Amino acid sequence: MKQRVFSGIQPSGESLHLGNYLGAIKGMLALQDSHDCIFAVVDYHAITVPYDPASMPAQKFNAIVEYMAAGLDPRKSILIIQSDVPEHTELAWLLGCIMPVSKLEQLPTYKDKKARQQSPTMGLLDYPVLMAADILIYKASLVPVGQDQLPHIEFAREVARKFNAAFGETFPEPQAYLTEGAEVPSLLGTGKMSKSVPGSFIALNDSPDQIHHKLAVAVTDPARQRRSDPGEPMRCNIYAIHRLYTPVDRLAEIADGCRAADIGCLECKAILAEEIIADLTPFRECRARLFSHPDDVRDALREGAKRARPLARATLDEVRCVMGLDRI
Ligand code: AQP
């Protein structure tokens, strides 16, 4: 039997970004031919922070289009919107009843997002429980994610262990699947590329001009104030992105040129912009095609939910049974 894979991305912006693509979607693509995959647009996660209800339908539609344009194929993988499979939230309630609040309060994403909000919601605290349910409802053993999600995967493993110890062997302990781009840095010089940090990201639907502009104003090696200053590529966030895009021989040329101050930051950024634009061209074309055939996208989602729900229901029935909740 093929190993089961689950992963999800929030529809929390107008477009997914390069971090989502290189850190998560590339991992999904690497597994979709050889594994039994379910990939979701996790809309219930996106409402754990303030959001605009009027924009949500378009953001969900865009996220699923971008999944498909990046190569996730509904003939190979089950593609769903999380809220179309309500078993996820029902399982989250059951799992939440075995996990201590103190554990959730320690998780870095919660602490980080809490610091940016006046009154963090119960949903924000509970986010990792819902994420554990998203994975465990399909008994997935592999989860392609970026580095920032590792604490949440560790939490999901702990949920599985705790549940199995209390109610008998039910869930596999899921493992993260990381790509080379597991931590795409922010264009602002510190932290990761993130939808909620303006100026930090390149969106997958950015035009070639926008990509050139965003890179041109991006922060680089702080030691390189003037064109003639020698740089240190390993300290530079732009070089870190180059390493994910640029062929090895060209990369060595850029690193040497940077150290010798033969290549300026602007030139280095322009080379990277062209690499990214070339990589995203087929994506952009496919995205435009899908937007002009919205029924194909909706059909894929309908079919996805139809295939996912029986799998989710079977796990939920089993869980309710071992918890003594299925009978009177
Ligand atoms: N910079 C990144 N590098 C590598 N992987 C990344 N991911 C996100 N940013 C990077 C991975 O993308 C998947 C989906 O992320 P998400 O949008 O659901 O949540 P997130 O991790 O919180 O992403 P953002 O962009 O930072 O969203 P906001 O700003 O709304 O919180 C995950 O696998 C994630 O690791």
Side-chain angles (χ1 to χ4, degrees), residues 7-12 16-25 28 42 45 49 109 113 116 127 144-149 181-186 192-197:
S7 189
I9 296 187
Q10 299 177 65
S12 52
L16 304 183
H17 59 70
L18 225 48
N20 299 141
Y21 176 57
L22 299 170
I25 296 179
M28 302 183 205
V42 288
H45 285 279
V49 291
T109 306
K113 292 198 172 173
R116 291 192 244 154
Y127 178 119
V145 281
Q147 183 97 14
D148 62 308
Q149 290 295 334
E183 198 166 17
V184 179
S186 162
K192 69 167 192 115
M193 224 178 240
S194 190
K195 284 187 222 91
S196 55
V197 181

Short mmCIF file of all heavy atoms in Angstrom, two decimals, residues 7-12 16-25 28 42 45 49 109 113 116 127 144-149 181-186 192-197, ligand 1:
data_model
loop_
_atom_site.label_atom_id
_atom_site.label_comp_id
_atom_site.label_asym_id
_atom_site.label_seq_id
_atom_site.Cartn_x
_atom_site.Cartn_y
_atom_site.Cartn_z
N SER A 7 -0.93 17.66 3.15
CA SER A 7 -0.38 18.99 3.43
C SER A 7 -1.43 20.04 3.10
O SER A 7 -2.36 19.77 2.33
CB SER A 7 0.90 19.24 2.63
OG SER A 7 1.51 20.43 3.09
N GLY A 8 -1.26 21.23 3.69
CA GLY A 8 -2.21 22.30 3.43
C GLY A 8 -1.54 23.66 3.44
O GLY A 8 -0.47 23.84 4.03
N ILE A 9 -2.18 24.61 2.78
CA ILE A 9 -1.71 26.00 2.79
C ILE A 9 -2.92 26.89 3.03
O ILE A 9 -4.02 26.63 2.52
CB ILE A 9 -1.02 26.38 1.45
CG1 ILE A 9 0.25 25.53 1.26
CG2 ILE A 9 -0.67 27.86 1.42
CD1 ILE A 9 1.11 25.91 0.06
N GLN A 10 -2.71 27.95 3.81
CA GLN A 10 -3.82 28.86 4.11
C GLN A 10 -4.10 29.80 2.93
O GLN A 10 -3.15 30.30 2.32
CB GLN A 10 -3.45 29.77 5.27
CG GLN A 10 -3.15 29.07 6.54
CD GLN A 10 -2.73 30.07 7.59
OE1 GLN A 10 -3.53 30.92 7.99
NE2 GLN A 10 -1.50 30.00 8.02
N PRO A 11 -5.38 30.09 2.68
CA PRO A 11 -5.70 31.08 1.64
C PRO A 11 -5.71 32.47 2.26
O PRO A 11 -6.73 33.17 2.25
CB PRO A 11 -7.11 30.66 1.21
CG PRO A 11 -7.72 30.08 2.46
CD PRO A 11 -6.58 29.48 3.26
N SER A 12 -4.55 32.86 2.84
CA SER A 12 -4.59 34.08 3.64
C SER A 12 -4.04 35.31 2.93
O SER A 12 -3.81 36.33 3.54
CB SER A 12 -3.85 33.86 4.97
OG SER A 12 -2.56 33.35 4.71
N LEU A 16 -0.24 32.92 -3.32
CA LEU A 16 0.79 32.21 -2.56
C LEU A 16 2.14 32.87 -2.91
O LEU A 16 2.24 33.61 -3.87
CB LEU A 16 0.79 30.73 -2.93
CG LEU A 16 -0.55 30.00 -2.75
CD1 LEU A 16 -0.40 28.53 -3.08
CD2 LEU A 16 -1.10 30.18 -1.33
N HIS A 17 3.16 32.58 -2.10
CA HIS A 17 4.46 33.20 -2.36
C HIS A 17 5.54 32.15 -2.59
O HIS A 17 5.29 30.94 -2.45
CB HIS A 17 4.82 34.18 -1.25
CG HIS A 17 4.89 33.59 0.12
ND1 HIS A 17 5.87 32.73 0.52
CD2 HIS A 17 4.08 33.74 1.21
CE1 HIS A 17 5.68 32.38 1.78
NE2 HIS A 17 4.59 32.97 2.22
N LEU A 18 6.71 32.66 -2.91
CA LEU A 18 7.84 31.79 -3.25
C LEU A 18 8.19 30.84 -2.11
O LEU A 18 8.63 29.71 -2.35
CB LEU A 18 9.04 32.68 -3.56
CG LEU A 18 9.89 32.38 -4.77
CD1 LEU A 18 9.07 32.15 -6.02
CD2 LEU A 18 10.89 33.50 -5.00
N GLY A 19 8.00 31.27 -0.86
CA GLY A 19 8.26 30.39 0.28
C GLY A 19 7.30 29.22 0.30
O GLY A 19 7.71 28.06 0.47
N ASN A 20 6.03 29.51 0.08
CA ASN A 20 5.02 28.42 0.03
C ASN A 20 5.38 27.45 -1.09
O ASN A 20 5.26 26.23 -0.95
CB ASN A 20 3.62 28.98 -0.25
CG ASN A 20 3.09 29.94 0.78
OD1 ASN A 20 2.45 30.93 0.44
ND2 ASN A 20 3.36 29.69 2.06
N TYR A 21 5.80 28.01 -2.23
CA TYR A 21 6.07 27.20 -3.41
C TYR A 21 7.31 26.32 -3.22
O TYR A 21 7.27 25.10 -3.40
CB TYR A 21 6.25 28.14 -4.61
CG TYR A 21 6.64 27.48 -5.91
CD1 TYR A 21 5.86 26.47 -6.47
CD2 TYR A 21 7.77 27.90 -6.61
CE1 TYR A 21 6.22 25.88 -7.67
CE2 TYR A 21 8.13 27.32 -7.81
CZ TYR A 21 7.35 26.31 -8.33
OH TYR A 21 7.70 25.73 -9.52
N LEU A 22 8.42 26.95 -2.79
CA LEU A 22 9.68 26.20 -2.69
C LEU A 22 9.70 25.32 -1.43
O LEU A 22 10.30 24.25 -1.44
CB LEU A 22 10.87 27.18 -2.66
CG LEU A 22 11.01 28.05 -3.91
CD1 LEU A 22 12.04 29.14 -3.69
CD2 LEU A 22 11.39 27.21 -5.12
N GLY A 23 9.04 25.79 -0.37
CA GLY A 23 9.08 25.05 0.90
C GLY A 23 8.03 23.97 1.00
O GLY A 23 8.30 22.90 1.54
N ALA A 24 6.84 24.22 0.47
CA ALA A 24 5.75 23.25 0.65
C ALA A 24 5.34 22.59 -0.68
O ALA A 24 5.34 21.36 -0.79
CB ALA A 24 4.55 23.93 1.31
N ILE A 25 5.01 23.40 -1.68
CA ILE A 25 4.44 22.82 -2.91
C ILE A 25 5.46 21.93 -3.63
O ILE A 25 5.11 20.86 -4.14
CB ILE A 25 3.89 23.92 -3.84
CG1 ILE A 25 2.71 24.62 -3.15
CG2 ILE A 25 3.44 23.35 -5.18
CD1 ILE A 25 2.06 25.74 -3.92
N MET A 28 5.23 18.65 -2.13
CA MET A 28 4.01 17.95 -2.56
C MET A 28 4.21 17.37 -3.96
O MET A 28 3.84 16.22 -4.25
CB MET A 28 2.82 18.92 -2.58
CG MET A 28 2.52 19.60 -1.26
SD MET A 28 1.03 20.63 -1.45
CE MET A 28 1.24 21.84 -0.19
N VAL A 42 -6.44 25.32 3.45
CA VAL A 42 -6.98 25.21 4.81
C VAL A 42 -7.62 26.54 5.25
O VAL A 42 -7.03 27.34 5.96
CB VAL A 42 -5.90 24.69 5.80
CG1 VAL A 42 -5.63 23.21 5.55
CG2 VAL A 42 -4.58 25.45 5.70
N HIS A 45 -8.00 27.50 8.98
CA HIS A 45 -6.80 28.04 9.63
C HIS A 45 -6.67 29.54 9.37
O HIS A 45 -6.17 30.28 10.21
CB HIS A 45 -5.54 27.34 9.12
CG HIS A 45 -5.37 25.96 9.68
ND1 HIS A 45 -4.84 25.73 10.92
CD2 HIS A 45 -5.68 24.75 9.18
CE1 HIS A 45 -4.82 24.42 11.15
NE2 HIS A 45 -5.33 23.80 10.11
N VAL A 49 -6.83 34.48 12.50
CA VAL A 49 -6.36 35.87 12.69
C VAL A 49 -7.38 36.76 11.96
O VAL A 49 -8.15 36.26 11.15
CB VAL A 49 -4.94 36.07 12.09
CG1 VAL A 49 -3.89 35.33 12.89
CG2 VAL A 49 -4.89 35.65 10.63
N THR A 109 4.79 29.68 16.75
CA THR A 109 3.91 30.46 15.86
C THR A 109 2.83 31.17 16.67
O THR A 109 2.50 32.33 16.40
CB THR A 109 3.25 29.53 14.81
OG1 THR A 109 4.28 28.82 14.16
CG2 THR A 109 2.45 30.30 13.79
N LYS A 113 2.46 35.18 16.67
CA LYS A 113 1.24 35.85 16.18
C LYS A 113 0.50 36.55 17.32
O LYS A 113 -0.12 37.59 17.13
CB LYS A 113 0.33 34.85 15.46
CG LYS A 113 0.97 34.38 14.16
CD LYS A 113 0.01 33.74 13.19
CE LYS A 113 0.72 33.50 11.86
NZ LYS A 113 -0.03 32.76 10.90
N ARG A 116 1.59 39.98 17.89
CA ARG A 116 1.18 40.97 16.88
C ARG A 116 -0.29 41.33 16.99
O ARG A 116 -0.82 42.07 16.20
CB ARG A 116 1.45 40.42 15.48
CG ARG A 116 2.92 40.30 15.14
CD ARG A 116 3.09 40.04 13.66
NE ARG A 116 3.70 38.75 13.39
CZ ARG A 116 3.53 38.05 12.27
NH1 ARG A 116 2.74 38.51 11.33
NH2 ARG A 116 4.12 36.89 12.10
N TYR A 127 -5.01 26.29 16.70
CA TYR A 127 -4.54 26.03 15.33
C TYR A 127 -3.76 24.70 15.21
O TYR A 127 -4.06 23.87 14.34
CB TYR A 127 -3.69 27.23 14.93
CG TYR A 127 -3.02 27.25 13.58
CD1 TYR A 127 -3.33 28.25 12.66
CD2 TYR A 127 -2.06 26.32 13.22
CE1 TYR A 127 -2.69 28.32 11.43
CE2 TYR A 127 -1.43 26.37 11.99
CZ TYR A 127 -1.75 27.36 11.11
OH TYR A 127 -1.13 27.42 9.89
N PRO A 144 4.61 17.23 3.69
CA PRO A 144 5.53 18.22 3.13
C PRO A 144 5.20 19.62 3.68
O PRO A 144 4.08 20.12 3.49
CB PRO A 144 5.26 18.17 1.62
CG PRO A 144 4.21 17.15 1.39
CD PRO A 144 3.68 16.69 2.70
N VAL A 145 6.19 20.22 4.35
CA VAL A 145 6.00 21.56 4.95
C VAL A 145 7.34 22.29 4.94
O VAL A 145 8.39 21.68 4.76
CB VAL A 145 5.55 21.50 6.44
CG1 VAL A 145 4.08 21.20 6.58
CG2 VAL A 145 6.41 20.54 7.25
N GLY A 146 7.27 23.59 5.21
CA GLY A 146 8.49 24.38 5.43
C GLY A 146 8.98 24.20 6.86
O GLY A 146 8.25 23.69 7.73
N GLN A 147 10.20 24.66 7.06
CA GLN A 147 10.87 24.52 8.36
C GLN A 147 10.06 25.10 9.52
O GLN A 147 10.05 24.55 10.62
CB GLN A 147 12.20 25.30 8.24
CG GLN A 147 13.10 25.25 9.42
CD GLN A 147 14.17 24.18 9.23
OE1 GLN A 147 14.35 23.69 8.11
NE2 GLN A 147 14.82 23.82 10.28
N ASP A 148 9.37 26.22 9.26
CA ASP A 148 8.64 26.90 10.35
C ASP A 148 7.54 26.01 10.94
O ASP A 148 7.07 26.26 12.05
CB ASP A 148 8.02 28.21 9.85
CG ASP A 148 6.99 27.99 8.75
OD1 ASP A 148 7.31 27.31 7.75
OD2 ASP A 148 5.85 28.47 8.87
N GLN A 149 7.12 25.01 10.17
CA GLN A 149 6.02 24.16 10.65
C GLN A 149 6.50 22.96 11.47
O GLN A 149 5.68 22.19 11.97
CB GLN A 149 5.18 23.66 9.46
CG GLN A 149 4.36 24.75 8.78
CD GLN A 149 3.29 25.32 9.70
OE1 GLN A 149 2.82 24.65 10.62
NE2 GLN A 149 2.91 26.57 9.48
N GLY A 181 14.28 24.04 -0.22
CA GLY A 181 13.81 25.42 0.04
C GLY A 181 12.95 25.51 1.28
O GLY A 181 12.00 26.28 1.33
N ALA A 182 13.30 24.73 2.30
CA ALA A 182 12.44 24.66 3.49
C ALA A 182 12.39 25.97 4.28
O ALA A 182 11.51 26.16 5.11
CB ALA A 182 12.92 23.52 4.40
N GLU A 183 13.36 26.86 4.02
CA GLU A 183 13.34 28.13 4.76
C GLU A 183 13.73 29.26 3.82
O GLU A 183 14.88 29.70 3.80
CB GLU A 183 14.30 28.05 5.94
CG GLU A 183 14.02 29.11 6.97
CD GLU A 183 14.72 28.83 8.29
OE1 GLU A 183 15.65 28.02 8.30
OE2 GLU A 183 14.33 29.45 9.29
N VAL A 184 12.79 29.72 3.02
CA VAL A 184 13.09 30.80 2.08
C VAL A 184 13.10 32.11 2.85
O VAL A 184 12.11 32.48 3.50
CB VAL A 184 12.03 30.84 0.94
CG1 VAL A 184 12.34 31.97 -0.03
CG2 VAL A 184 11.99 29.50 0.21
N PRO A 185 14.23 32.83 2.79
CA PRO A 185 14.34 34.02 3.64
C PRO A 185 13.50 35.20 3.13
O PRO A 185 13.18 35.29 1.95
CB PRO A 185 15.82 34.36 3.57
CG PRO A 185 16.32 33.76 2.32
CD PRO A 185 15.45 32.56 2.04
N SER A 186 13.20 36.08 4.05
CA SER A 186 12.47 37.31 3.75
C SER A 186 13.33 38.23 2.90
O SER A 186 14.56 38.25 3.04
CB SER A 186 12.13 38.00 5.07
OG SER A 186 11.80 39.33 4.85
N LYS A 192 11.66 34.77 7.80
CA LYS A 192 11.29 34.05 6.58
C LYS A 192 10.32 34.87 5.74
O LYS A 192 9.66 35.78 6.25
CB LYS A 192 10.66 32.70 6.96
CG LYS A 192 9.30 32.83 7.60
CD LYS A 192 8.56 31.51 7.67
CE LYS A 192 7.11 31.74 8.05
NZ LYS A 192 6.16 31.39 7.04
N MET A 193 10.25 34.53 4.47
CA MET A 193 9.23 35.10 3.61
C MET A 193 7.88 34.74 4.18
O MET A 193 7.63 33.58 4.51
CB MET A 193 9.37 34.46 2.22
CG MET A 193 9.28 35.40 1.10
SD MET A 193 9.51 34.59 -0.49
CE MET A 193 10.93 35.46 -1.07
N SER A 194 7.00 35.73 4.31
CA SER A 194 5.73 35.46 4.97
C SER A 194 4.64 36.36 4.40
O SER A 194 4.87 37.56 4.21
CB SER A 194 5.93 35.75 6.47
OG SER A 194 4.85 35.32 7.19
N LYS A 195 3.44 35.76 4.15
CA LYS A 195 2.33 36.54 3.57
C LYS A 195 1.97 37.74 4.44
O LYS A 195 1.57 38.78 3.95
CB LYS A 195 1.07 35.67 3.49
CG LYS A 195 1.05 34.66 2.41
CD LYS A 195 -0.34 34.02 2.40
CE LYS A 195 -0.25 32.53 2.19
NZ LYS A 195 -0.18 31.73 3.41
N SER A 196 2.06 37.55 5.76
CA SER A 196 1.58 38.60 6.65
C SER A 196 2.63 39.68 6.91
O SER A 196 2.38 40.59 7.69
CB SER A 196 1.10 37.98 7.97
OG SER A 196 2.13 37.22 8.52
N VAL A 197 3.79 39.57 6.28
CA VAL A 197 4.81 40.62 6.46
C VAL A 197 5.02 41.33 5.12
O VAL A 197 5.71 40.80 4.23
CB VAL A 197 6.13 40.03 7.00
CG1 VAL A 197 7.15 41.14 7.20
CG2 VAL A 197 5.90 39.25 8.28
N1 AQP B 1 9.45 31.34 3.86
C1 AQP B 1 9.09 30.08 3.74
N2 AQP B 1 10.00 29.16 3.37
C2 AQP B 1 9.64 27.84 3.23
N3 AQP B 1 8.40 27.40 3.45
C3 AQP B 1 7.47 28.30 3.83
N4 AQP B 1 6.15 28.19 4.13
C4 AQP B 1 5.65 29.38 4.46
N5 AQP B 1 6.61 30.31 4.39
C5 AQP B 1 7.75 29.67 4.00
C6 AQP B 1 5.43 26.92 4.08
O1 AQP B 1 4.27 27.08 3.28
C7 AQP B 1 3.25 26.23 3.81
C8 AQP B 1 1.97 26.97 4.00
O2 AQP B 1 2.13 28.07 4.85
P1 AQP B 1 0.84 28.85 5.38
O3 AQP B 1 0.56 30.00 4.53
O4 AQP B 1 -0.28 27.95 5.57
O5 AQP B 1 1.30 29.31 6.76
P2 AQP B 1 2.60 30.03 7.16
O6 AQP B 1 3.70 29.07 7.35
O7 AQP B 1 2.24 30.80 8.36
O8 AQP B 1 2.93 30.95 5.89
P3 AQP B 1 3.05 32.49 5.87
O9 AQP B 1 3.29 32.97 4.51
O10 AQP B 1 4.07 32.89 6.88
O11 AQP B 1 1.60 32.94 6.28
P4 AQP B 1 1.19 33.97 7.37
O12 AQP B 1 2.05 35.15 7.17
O13 AQP B 1 -0.25 34.20 7.07
O14 AQP B 1 1.42 33.29 8.68
C9 AQP B 1 3.79 25.65 5.12
O15 AQP B 1 4.25 24.35 4.88
C10 AQP B 1 4.93 26.56 5.45
O16 AQP B 1 5.94 25.93 6.22
#
